[in-house]
Amino acid sequence: MKGLGIIPSQLNKFDDKDKSVPHIGWNSADTSRTGQATDDSFYGLRPTSKYYYVHSYAAPYEEGKLEKLGWTVATARYGNEDFIGAVAKDNVFATQFHPEKSGAPGLRVLKAFLEGTRSQKLPKQLSTSDTKEGLTRRVIACLDVRTNDQGDLVVTKGDMYDVREKEGAGNAVRNLGKPVEMAKKYYEQGADEVTFLNITSFRNCPVADIPMLEILRRTSETVFVPLTIGGGIQDTVDTDGTKISALDIATMYFKSGADKVSIGSNAVIAAEEYYARGSKLAGNTAIESISSAYGNQAVVVSVDPKRVYVQSPESTPHHAIKTSRPGPNGEEYCWYQCTIKGGREGRDFDVRQLVTAVEAMGAGEILLNCIDQDGSNSGFDLELINDVKDAINIPVIASSGAGNPGHFEEVFARTRTDAALGAGMFHRGDYTVKQVKDHLQEKGLVVRPFEADI
């Protein structure tokens, strides 16, 4: 398909042989060239900053080609592919990244463009050692949101998905804080994304009045990184009997400030039906309809698997792996059973079946939980993560089990996960997001530097 012809370039899909596609996360928009760092800021862009990208196609960068025609070009690198992150000429300025979701650096870009400040000196002289090319390691803060017994919306956290206090407090729902305030706190600590998982159904609430819509609207006023919302995104019937599609619900969330929606139990049912049809698409599932309307990068599938131990791969029809953590009877193999309804109901369906099906259906990312590790603070299930990464090409977010910064270092070092998520360790104040990212940076991993000043 031809474009307007203003910029003589062609969009190509990223090669997924050595990396996940879509390209989701924080990357550069650097005007430096040939090993020399720039000494001025172009429309607020800085070579030390990172910006939020989410796309499958990009314009490859050919050094000097656009510059000869009067364009200024900022570039980024994904794997071994250099592509154009931003271009400008005369009164035209275009970005591949999302400035409105790029924290203070993105707001700085918007401010410079609106004020017509095309170029200004950087705050300090830079060297090439100050810039690190490529996609950063994403650290995501997750907030499980539900109503407590008094009807108030609170952030909670479960142990193997049980969110009620074990001792005292009358077995009440664990209350760790208010959603909007906590989201802002994590943003200010440097969280690369914030995920809200609505674990209350709001069955008796009109869809247009779902409390999560207001939480998204209020959060969007002060949090300028991507927001994901999960829970209840399915075809439903409103309190007045009106049928409302999953696409309609997703649209309400997007209009309220969400960037991605997360689908859980509904995805498992849709995947089972996908195989029942002989691996054929239905065309009208929530995943297909939302990804068709908004792009696959807008659809996350939240997976809730748990281990089932077996004596040998031959003893189960499901995909089994050899594990370094034997079962209760010394079993050396396990398969990962998919669950629905918040982990309360197991299905005769394994995690590999699920992730390969939803990728075919149009999901752009997997949020990979693990019931066995949930609330354990003992680290991520690395075997599960590697098994899923081997099966699909879309990005994976590792979840469940993080208890300290070392667990984030471990999951990035020993798996090919694209991001890692923390919840309880942040909510309890054991560690901050900044402490996790500082630890990763000390270990030589590229992370997004948090900038408070635009």
Side-chain angles (χ1 to χ4, degrees):
M1 179 182 294
K2 289 188 176 181
L4 298 176
I6 297 173
I7 303 172
S9 187
Q10 178 175 320
L11 297 178
N12 296 333
K13 189 172 185 178
F14 283 117
D15 184 355
D16 64 5
K17 292 186 180 66
D18 63 341
K19 54 188 177 295
S20 300
V21 177
H23 167 240
I24 298 178
W26 297 78
N27 210 324
S28 305
D30 190 0
T31 56
S32 302
R33 295 291 178 272
T34 59
Q36 301 215 350
T38 182
D39 61 356
D40 66 343
S41 172
F42 168 69
Y43 276 131
L45 295 174
R46 296 179 183 175
T48 52
S49 296
K50 294 290 185 177
Y51 306 88
Y52 183 73
Y53 291 82
V54 51
H55 57 125
S56 297
Y57 291 80
Y61 176 65
E62 300 175 50
E63 188 166 2
K65 178 182 176 181
L66 295 183
E67 288 89 340
K68 290 177 182 177
L69 300 174
W71 292 92
T72 300
V73 183
T75 63
R77 178 176 300 137
Y78 187 34
N80 59 0
E81 298 184 72
D82 292 321
F83 66 94
I84 296 172
V87 291
K89 181 181 180 182
D90 300 328
N91 65 341
V92 175
F93 178 49
T95 65
Q96 177 70 73
F97 61 87
H98 291 258
E100 79 284 1
K101 290 294 176 177
S102 296
L107 298 180
R108 186 168 58 235
V109 169
L110 292 172
K111 183 173 185 288
F113 178 72
L114 292 172
E115 294 177 349
T117 309
R118 184 182 175 93
S119 180
Q120 57 186 329
K121 290 295 180 183
L122 288 171
K124 68 171 185 175
Q125 186 70 33
L126 299 175
S127 67
T128 53
S129 62
D130 293 315
T131 65
K132 289 190 177 181
E133 288 286 341
L135 192 65
T136 69
R137 309 292 187 153
R138 271 185 292 157
V139 176
I140 299 173
C142 180
L143 294 83
D144 290 341
V145 180
R146 64 158 290 165
T147 51
N148 63 11
D149 298 325
Q150 289 72 45
D152 301 318
L153 276 181
V154 300
V155 175
T156 189
K157 184 70 188 77
D159 298 320
M160 298 183 71
Y161 288 27
D162 181 0
V163 300
R164 292 190 175 273
E165 299 286 4
K166 300 295 187 297
E167 299 178 4
N171 196 228
V173 172
R174 191 173 290 117
N175 181 354
L176 297 174
K178 297 180 179 179
V180 177
E181 294 176 2
M182 293 181 71
K184 182 182 179 183
K185 178 178 70 173
Y186 297 142
Y187 166 66
E188 292 172 346
Q189 291 176 3
D192 297 314
E193 295 183 26
V194 175
T195 295
F196 292 106
L197 296 182
N198 161 26
I199 57 176
T200 302
S201 62
F202 304 121
R203 289 187 182 90
N204 299 317
C205 177
V207 171
D209 298 329
I210 292 174
M212 293 306 299
L213 295 172
E214 180 63 16
I215 284 178
L216 284 168
R217 284 190 285 264
R218 290 173 55 202
T219 301
S220 298
E221 294 174 357
T222 57
V223 175
F224 301 102
V225 295
L227 303 176
T228 300
I229 176 70
I233 300 164
Q234 59 189 0
D235 295 341
T236 189
V237 177
D238 210 346
T239 53
D240 64 358
T242 304
K243 292 183 179 180
I244 300 180
S245 71
L247 176 59
D248 291 333
I249 293 174
T251 297
M252 284 191 286
Y253 280 133
F254 290 138
K255 287 182 176 179
S256 297
D259 300 277
K260 297 183 268 189
V261 293
S262 177
I263 300 174
S265 298
N266 184 266
V268 178
I269 304 302
E272 290 174 335
E273 294 172 351
Y274 167 81
Y275 287 111
R277 289 189 302 270
S279 300
K280 293 181 180 178
L281 299 174
N284 60 355
T285 63
I287 296 172
E288 292 169 88
S289 60
I290 298 170
S291 64
S292 177
Y294 292 100
N296 66 346
Q297 83 292 333
V299 181
V300 180
V301 168
S302 181
V303 185
D304 297 319
K306 63 179 180 181
R307 287 187 169 217
V308 177
Y309 286 98
V310 292
Q311 292 292 346
S312 70
E314 293 73 30
S315 60
T316 176
H318 295 289
H319 172 76
I321 63 169
K322 189 165 186 176
T323 177
S324 61
R325 294 159 46 198
N329 299 311
E331 299 96 336
E332 295 183 351
Y333 294 86
C334 71
W335 64 279
Y336 288 92
Q337 180 186 34
C338 292
T339 67
I340 60 174
K341 300 178 181 178
R344 296 188 300 274
E345 181 180 317
R347 310 292 287 188
D348 187 22
F349 201 63
D350 67 60
V351 70
R352 274 224 177 184
Q353 289 175 295
L354 176 60
V355 296
T356 52
V358 298
E359 180 180 36
M361 294 160 67
E365 199 167 26
I366 299 295
L367 172 55
L368 185 57
N369 306 298
C370 180
I371 293 177
D372 309 278
Q373 297 298 105
D374 183 62
S376 69
N377 300 315
S378 61
F380 299 94
D381 189 329
L382 308 181
E383 294 174 336
L384 169 63
I385 296 163
N386 280 324
D387 190 46
V388 168
K389 282 296 296 182
D390 286 343
I392 55 177
N393 293 319
I394 58 177
V396 169
I397 301 168
S399 177
S400 303
N404 60 62
H407 291 148
F408 285 82
E409 176 196 353
E410 180 183 52
V411 76
F412 286 127
R414 296 179 57 188
T415 77
R416 294 184 294 111
T417 192
D418 301 270
L421 177 150
M425 62 180 280
F426 298 144
H427 303 338
R428 294 186 301 269
D430 298 342
Y431 298 92
T432 65
V433 175
K434 185 179 186 302
Q435 286 175 310
V436 170
K437 296 181 80 171
D438 287 347
H439 177 81
L440 294 176
Q441 190 168 31
E442 289 170 4
K443 298 299 180 179
L445 298 172
V446 180
V447 297
R448 174 181 71 101
F450 178 72
E451 301 175 52
D453 185 12
I454 67 170

